[in-house]
Amino acid sequence: MVKIGNIELPEFPLLLAPMEDVSDPPFRAVCKDNGADLMYTEFISSEGLIRDAIKSRHKLDIFDYEKPIGIQIFGGDEEAMALSAKIVETVQPDLVDINFGCPVKKVVSKGAGAGVLKDLPLMTRLTEAVVKSTSLPVTVKTRLGWDDEHRNIEEVAERLQDVGIKALAIHGRTRTQMYKGEADWSLIAKVKNNPRIQIPIFGNGDIDSAEKAMEYKNRYGVDGIMIGRAAIGYPWIFNEIRHYMQTGTHLPAPTLQQRINVISKHLHKSVQWKGPIVGINEMRRHYANYLKGMPGIKEYRNRLVILKTAEEVDEVLAEIANKYADFEFEKLAIELVNYHEKCPL
């Protein structure tokens, strides 16, 4: 069992990473159905919460079936971070997470996200301000450091543990790497093996298969794994990893009907939460990922992305299910893509 404060998670938990414009309630619902043990919201601006910005407040929506769930905040001002944590506490999540990992310029330039890695005293003060302002467990997600000359994650981990965080998730790249190259988990392992570190350490970066998850678990000794991009269009990865770790065998690829069921649930929750126009529009980027490997997917994707109602989408999905009733998906490698230029954590 892994504990974050008073939150009890299963042995070697699998976490869904906070991803801007992806980790919303509709997406989290299908990931929860498919084995995610702990999930996080999209990151939320502390300044936006204080200004009562509609988009920021909307991201506070969480639901009982998602629990345990953390709400992630970011910012570069101690007072704003402390106040935003108090606002977050009112919707009763299980924990508050601080984003010190987003590498995107518009976030970093404001002295937030991974930008704080250049100023460890500020990072410490921001974290301590949040810890002192809430009774909820506080966790952090960050990177190895700012650049190759400042891979100071061991010092970061010690400082943040000392001011009271209850768990740390580490993406195995520096800020300057963005998403280039291969994630380096060796420093994550050094943090985990540091005798001073007593909190759970979760590894993140490049996990795209059950085999790699098992390999990294055994090689690096982390307490759990956080999965981000690999879950986009493939929420089944959580159950596949868990099954492989428990049995050493692979689950079969999701059937066409299983994929259509997930698309339909994701779609209808998207419409319910975002409204009919935005909900339909924002689902359009997901269809190709869910149906990857199916012959004729381009033709159907072209149809799906122009439809304007959930009912029309359901009709096309039923047509696909009927036409390809005997089709069996093969296991394909999951492609880790930078899905947009915002903040894919």
Side-chain angles (χ1 to χ4, degrees):
M1 181 186 299
V2 173
K3 293 194 72 173
I4 301 176
N6 59 354
I7 304 168
E8 295 183 354
L9 298 173
E11 181 182 358
F12 204 78
L14 304 175
L15 289 62
L16 173 65
M19 294 179 285
E20 174 68 356
D21 279 352
V22 174
S23 300
D24 57 17
F27 180 70
R28 297 197 304 262
V30 297
C31 288
K32 186 68 173 182
D33 286 347
N34 287 281
D37 295 310
L38 173 64
M39 305 188 297
Y40 300 82
T41 63
E42 304 168 82
F43 71 171
I44 304 174
S45 164
S46 57
E47 301 285 353
L49 280 180
I50 293 168
R51 292 195 312 269
D52 204 26
I54 293 174
K55 184 175 182 181
S56 295
R57 290 281 179 161
H58 197 40
K59 289 180 180 179
L60 289 176
D61 287 354
I62 56 175
F63 302 91
D64 286 343
Y65 62 79
E66 298 183 285
K67 290 181 171 288
I69 187 167
I71 291 178
Q72 190 186 72
I73 58 176
F74 76 97
D77 178 81
E78 295 166 53
E79 185 177 351
M81 288 290 280
L83 182 53
S84 67
K86 290 183 179 293
I87 296 170
V88 163
E89 195 173 39
T90 64
V91 301
Q92 300 181 324
D94 297 280
L95 61 86
V96 178
D97 188 71
I98 305 173
N99 179 317
F100 290 140
C102 181
V104 175
K105 184 176 180 180
K106 71 175 186 178
V107 174
V108 169
S109 63
K110 296 177 181 178
V116 184
L117 285 164
K118 293 192 292 185
D119 188 343
L120 297 197
L122 173 61
M123 175 186 279
T124 304
R125 294 196 305 271
L126 290 169
T127 305
E128 187 172 21
V130 173
V131 170
K132 288 182 174 179
S133 71
T134 179
S135 61
L136 295 170
V138 176
T139 62
V140 165
K141 184 171 189 290
T142 189
R143 289 180 168 238
L144 300 179
W146 176 258
D147 56 25
D148 284 341
E149 286 69 47
H150 301 88
R151 290 155 63 97
N152 50 6
I153 187 60
E154 285 190 89
E155 181 183 355
V156 166
E158 291 181 1
R159 282 177 176 247
L160 299 186
Q161 178 181 262
D162 288 348
V163 295
I165 71 166
K166 301 302 183 184
L168 178 64
I170 306 169
H171 181 93
R173 291 182 175 88
T174 64
R175 186 273 166 176
T176 56
Q177 280 183 275
M178 301 295 282
Y179 292 90
K180 297 176 183 177
E182 185 176 349
D184 178 4
W185 283 54
S186 62
L187 279 179
I188 303 176
K190 287 188 73 174
V191 173
K192 174 58 189 172
N193 293 325
N194 182 335
R196 277 206 60 205
I197 298 300
Q198 302 298 314
I199 59 175
I201 301 297
F202 303 121
N204 172 237
D206 295 352
I207 297 297
D208 58 5
S209 68
E211 293 94 338
K212 184 176 281 189
M214 176 70 91
E215 177 191 351
Y216 280 31
K217 173 182 183 290
N218 294 335
R219 183 190 301 178
Y220 299 109
V222 292
D223 295 292
I225 285 176
M226 179 178 280
I227 297 166
R229 292 174 290 164
I232 299 172
Y234 204 82
W236 302 276
I237 191 169
F238 299 99
N239 277 338
E240 289 184 358
I241 290 173
R242 178 73 63 205
H243 181 84
Y244 186 75
M245 288 183 172
Q246 292 175 346
T247 69
T249 63
H250 290 284
L251 287 172
T255 65
L256 176 59
Q257 192 58 56
Q258 287 173 322
R259 292 168 192 256
I260 286 175
N261 290 345
V262 166
I263 293 172
S264 184
K265 179 167 185 172
H266 193 167
L267 167 69
H268 285 274
K269 283 196 170 291
S270 183
V271 170
Q272 181 182 6
W273 187 64
K274 301 175 184 179
I277 297 176
V278 176
I280 291 290
N281 290 344
E282 294 194 356
M283 267 302 294
R284 290 170 177 169
R285 61 176 178 245
H286 292 287
Y287 298 128
N289 290 322
Y290 278 127
L291 298 172
K292 184 180 179 182
M294 190 189 81
I297 178 56
K298 184 175 181 180
E299 172 194 345
Y300 282 104
R301 186 192 68 81
N302 290 343
R303 291 175 59 188
L304 288 167
V305 298
I306 63 173
L307 300 178
K308 299 185 184 302
T309 69
E311 291 73 24
E312 291 174 324
V313 174
D314 283 335
E315 289 177 5
V316 173
L317 293 176
E319 181 183 332
I320 294 171
N322 182 60
K323 182 175 180 178
Y324 294 94
D326 297 326
F327 178 74
E328 293 185 6
F329 281 87
E330 298 179 3
K331 280 279 188 180
L332 299 174
I334 296 174
E335 183 181 358
L336 299 180
V337 296
N338 288 334
Y339 53 91
H340 54 43
E341 294 300 319
K342 291 190 178 179
C343 193
L345 298 182

